[in-house]
Amino acid sequence: MNNDELKDMRSKMGFLFQSGALYDSMTVRENLAFPLERVLKIKDEHEIEERSKEVLEAVGYQVPLIKNAV
């Protein structure tokens, strides 16, 4: 595989480190809301709730949003 092919393949991949990726003192909902509020500056609670639910459904994670992350 040449450098261009490798670069193209890498642009289609993504990963997330699991250790340290969540704040254990926060609930699942708070962990999902954190980047929405801090990075995307979303203030609407309904939108945050809907986006959080969408993400959980997309990855097949069925847990109450009020449960702690770990």
Side-chain angles (χ1 to χ4, degrees):
M1 181 178 294
N2 67 37
N3 283 340
D4 289 336
E5 292 169 329
L6 182 60
K7 184 177 178 181
D8 182 54
M9 182 184 72
R10 286 181 176 163
S11 72
K12 297 174 184 173
M13 296 176 62
F15 63 93
L16 174 68
F17 293 104
Q18 285 188 307
S19 61
L22 299 173
Y23 296 104
D24 59 357
S25 63
M26 299 168 95
T27 65
V28 173
R29 189 234 180 261
E30 291 167 335
N31 270 282
L32 292 169
F34 187 79
L36 297 174
E37 295 168 345
R38 299 289 176 100
V39 178
L40 298 180
K41 307 291 186 199
I42 297 172
K43 302 292 183 199
D44 181 26
E45 286 296 320
H46 179 72
E47 182 177 358
I48 291 169
E49 194 74 19
E50 289 302 310
R51 285 186 178 218
S52 298
K53 288 179 182 178
E54 287 174 13
V55 169
L56 290 177
E57 289 174 6
V59 297
Y61 195 65
Q62 301 296 321
V63 67
L65 291 176
I66 58 171
K67 183 177 179 182
N68 276 18
V70 288

